[in-house]
Amino acid sequence: MTTFTVHDTNSAPEAARGSLEQSAQAYGFVPNLHGVFAESPELLEAYKAIGEIFSRSGFDPAEQQIVLLAIKFENGCDYCMAAHSGIAAGAGVDRPTIDALRSGAELEDVRLGALVRFTRLVVQQAGWVDAADVDAFLAAGWERRHVLDVILAAAYKTMSNYTNHIARTPLDAQFSANAWTAPAATAG
């Protein structure tokens, strides 16, 4: 079985060291995902750049985390679900909403529920979402911009979710309080 190194600022390729140092400053540690990404400095750079761009999307910080958690559920990403459950709480997402997203349940809030349903459809159907589903999303109060911002989020999380699946990235101790295991239907 191929194993992937979780690099630190000393073992990483030279081109990734500065980015890992930035991660350490931002988080207080280098997340294992970033350490795995460092094997490809370009992937690490792309992930961070798209994440920063997504942070400027048409979604507020809580809505961003809701979209990301919905994607993580669909992709069955144990690592990212654990990490972003804590980040979501810090962004103001309440615990019942986080728990619903972690279990794949519907949200009670109509507008946010439409956001989660649409996000799940985008991932499940690789973007081949029916026009009626797009219209239902828009009818719930979202804009065409948000349709495209969900696609941006899916691209962003594909990098991390797929990396975690292949590398079997170990969960950081800092995220262990929110450990999660994908349901059998979504796990790879």
Side-chain angles (χ1 to χ4, degrees):
M1 181 174 137
T2 302
T3 58
F4 287 80
T5 302
V6 179
H7 289 285
D8 60 26
T9 55
N10 296 316
S11 68
E14 183 66 35
R17 290 182 183 168
S19 186
L20 289 184
E21 289 169 2
Q22 291 170 351
S23 295
Q25 290 173 354
Y27 294 95
F29 66 101
V30 175
N32 288 339
L33 173 61
H34 294 197
V36 171
F37 276 157
E39 190 72 30
S40 169
E42 296 75 17
L43 179 59
L44 177 59
E45 180 183 359
Y47 179 76
K48 288 181 156 191
I50 293 175
E52 196 280 319
I53 292 166
F54 180 64
S55 75
R56 300 188 319 255
S57 71
F59 298 120
D60 69 31
E63 293 164 349
Q64 290 171 21
Q65 292 304 313
I66 288 169
V67 168
L68 297 177
L69 288 172
I71 293 168
K72 292 160 196 358
F73 181 86
E74 291 304 319
N75 284 337
C77 187
D78 299 351
Y79 182 94
C80 283
M81 183 64 86
H84 278 267
S85 292
I87 295 169
V93 181
D94 62 56
R95 194 68 218 188
T97 299
I98 293 170
D99 291 343
L101 291 162
R102 288 169 57 97
S103 70
E106 292 289 323
L107 299 186
E108 290 185 21
D109 181 281
V110 173
R111 187 168 185 266
L112 293 177
L115 176 60
V116 170
R117 278 188 301 282
F118 182 75
T119 299
R120 288 176 178 163
L121 287 171
V122 168
V123 175
Q124 291 166 357
Q125 299 175 6
W128 292 104
V129 179
D130 292 333
D133 293 317
V134 174
D135 291 343
F137 178 64
L138 298 174
W142 299 100
E143 300 171 6
R144 288 188 309 261
R145 172 195 178 137
H146 296 114
V147 170
L148 301 175
D149 287 344
V150 167
I151 294 168
L152 173 61
Y156 170 48
K157 286 293 100 184
T158 296
M159 289 188 281
S160 59
N161 295 171
Y162 288 14
T163 297
N164 289 324
H165 295 168
I166 291 171
R168 308 230 185 290
T169 307
L171 187 62
D172 303 86
Q174 294 86 341
F175 303 140
S176 64
N178 290 304
W180 181 80
T181 301
T186 61

